[in-house]
């Protein structure tokens, strides 16, 4: 090998060290771990625009056996064992990469240290949650029995907060801005909402568990949810500048409500 060729080879090796190849898994980590200014609800609603699923409030599957808007009874709660823990079997589709599966698994484990909810890999249990790569981010409300799909689309839903949001639906929780006392805390700007989307802001007969309204809830949609003109569809009152719509993690009251509902 000539001195020139040797020098060129050394330069190429040096560049490969300085600029390592980026594989798909690394890019997934960048996507899923990035902490930016896009709130959870915006990601969910954008991901669900092309979904063929029948959805209420943007990401709740329309039920076939009961009222989707209520989950107060024991029938729609996951069962608590004699050890005081609520054990929920789950599986993660093989369509997810190892990095994407890790994001889902980490989000599930975030419930373990703060609540009595325990997600465990499914054995042969009849009732379980199946995380699947479907056409959006959505879930049923509460336990429905049998296989219960939580859709986490690989293109826009593999984020810690989104997984927490959809799992909270599966545990039985509605969106915060639809709770029964919401009119004391937020103003719904109907003039900025497409009339065909107005049903997503129906005020519900919810069980608020004697907890305060929570602007920082992982279940609260952002200011422009379902807006047809980019202006606020939801405005907090009396402080119109208050931040609403989570980006990262469950709030104190999200965790408190799980513990109250399930008697942790």
């Amino acid at each position: 090998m000539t001195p020139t060729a040797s020098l060129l080879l050394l330069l190429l090796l040096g560049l490969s060290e300085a600029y390592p190849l980026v594989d798909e898994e690394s890019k997934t980590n960048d996507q899923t771990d990035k902490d930016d200014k896009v709130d959870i609800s915006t990601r969910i609603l954008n991901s669900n625009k092309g979904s063929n699923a029948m959805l209420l409030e943007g990401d709740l599957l329309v039920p076939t056996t009961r009222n989707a808007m209520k989950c107060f009874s024991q029938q729609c709660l996951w069962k608590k064992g004699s050890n005081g823990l609520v054990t929920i079997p789950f599986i993660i589709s093989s369509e997810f990469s190892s990095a994407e599966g890790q994001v889902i698994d980490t989000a599930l484990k975030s419930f373990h240290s703060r609540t009595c909810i325990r997600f465990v890999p499914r054995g042969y249990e009849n009732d379980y949650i199946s995380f699947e790569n479907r056409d959006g981010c959505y879930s049923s409300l509460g336990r429905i029995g049998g296989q219960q799909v939580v859709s986490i689309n690989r293109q826009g839903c593999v984020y810690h907060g989104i997984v927490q949001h959809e799992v909270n639906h599966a545990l039985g929780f509605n969106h915060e801005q639809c709770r029964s006392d919401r009119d004391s805390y937020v103003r719904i700007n109907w003039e900025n909402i497409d009339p065909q989307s107005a049903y997503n802001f129906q005020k519900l007969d919810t069980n608020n568990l004697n907890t305060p309204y929570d602007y920082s809830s992982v279940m609260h949609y952002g200011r422009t949810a379902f807006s047809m003109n980019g202006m606020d569809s939801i405005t907090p009152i009396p402080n119109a500048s208050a931040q609403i719509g989570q980006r990262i993690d469950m709030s104190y009251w999200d965790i408190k409500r799980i513990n109250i509902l399930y008697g942790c």
Side-chain angles (χ1 to χ4, degrees):
M1 183 179 294
T2 67
T4 301
S6 298
L7 180 59
L8 180 59
L9 180 59
L10 286 171
L11 285 171
L12 289 172
L13 287 172
L15 286 172
S16 69
E17 289 294 321
Y19 301 98
L21 293 175
V22 178
D23 59 23
E24 288 301 314
E25 204 157 286
S26 297
K27 288 192 288 185
T28 299
N29 278 324
D30 289 343
Q31 173 193 0
T32 54
D33 293 339
K34 186 177 181 182
D35 176 15
D36 59 18
K37 295 184 179 180
V38 180
D39 64 74
I40 288 170
S41 64
T42 298
R43 290 193 187 281
I44 290 174
L45 296 179
N46 285 340
S47 295
N48 290 353
K49 282 180 180 178
S51 176
N52 293 316
M54 295 291 290
L55 302 174
L56 296 171
E57 298 176 31
D59 70 334
L60 276 172
L61 281 170
V62 174
T64 56
T65 58
R66 59 177 168 79
N67 187 340
M69 299 294 96
K70 291 187 179 182
C71 182
F72 303 168
S73 66
Q74 292 300 314
Q75 284 75 20
C76 70
L77 298 183
W78 295 85
K79 295 178 181 178
K80 189 175 183 180
S82 58
N83 60 357
L85 299 177
V86 179
T87 301
I88 303 177
F90 75 95
I91 59 174
I92 298 176
S93 169
S94 60
E95 287 188 53
F96 295 104
S97 70
S98 59
E100 291 165 341
Q102 186 61 48
V103 171
I104 296 171
D105 191 63
T106 299
L108 296 180
K109 284 185 170 64
S110 71
F111 290 80
H112 294 187
S113 61
R114 299 178 281 182
T115 75
C116 60
I117 307 297
R118 296 293 184 273
F119 293 96
V120 298
R122 183 197 179 212
Y124 298 98
E125 295 87 354
N126 290 324
D127 294 353
Y128 65 98
I129 292 177
S130 178
F131 292 92
E132 299 185 9
N133 172 37
R134 295 199 178 181
D135 58 348
C137 329
Y138 50 81
S139 172
S140 300
L141 182 67
R143 180 180 64 85
I144 61 173
Q147 181 193 47
Q148 184 161 334
V149 171
V150 171
S151 176
I152 302 293
N153 183 268
R154 295 183 65 194
Q155 301 305 311
C157 307
V158 189
Y159 291 89
H160 183 83
I162 288 180
V163 176
Q164 287 184 335
H165 180 103
E166 300 307 337
V167 167
N168 267 278
H169 280 321
L171 291 175
F173 292 95
N174 293 94
H175 291 121
E176 190 75 357
Q177 74 279 353
C178 291
R179 59 183 264 171
S180 57
D181 60 351
R182 65 103 184 274
D183 290 339
S184 297
Y185 303 96
V186 296
R187 181 176 67 252
I188 305 302
N189 302 307
W190 302 103
E191 68 277 12
N192 296 330
I193 301 168
D194 186 327
Q196 293 185 349
S197 298
Y199 69 92
N200 291 298
F201 292 93
Q202 178 185 354
K203 187 166 60 175
L204 308 176
D205 178 20
T206 53
N207 178 4
N208 300 322
L209 301 170
N210 294 316
T211 61
Y213 192 92
D214 183 14
Y215 294 121
S216 64
S217 171
V218 77
M219 306 307 290
H220 203 305
Y221 271 5
R223 288 176 174 272
T224 59
F226 296 101
S227 174
M228 65 178 177
N229 55 18
M231 300 180 68
D232 282 5
S233 54
I234 309 171
T235 302
I237 53 177
N239 180 10
S241 63
Q243 179 176 307
I244 59 174
Q246 256 284 7
R247 292 164 173 78
I248 303 170
D249 193 32
M250 290 185 291
S251 71
Y252 169 85
W253 286 111
D254 287 325
I255 296 162
K256 187 72 172 177
R257 286 169 189 161
I258 294 171
N259 289 327
I260 294 172
L261 185 64
Y262 282 91
C264 297

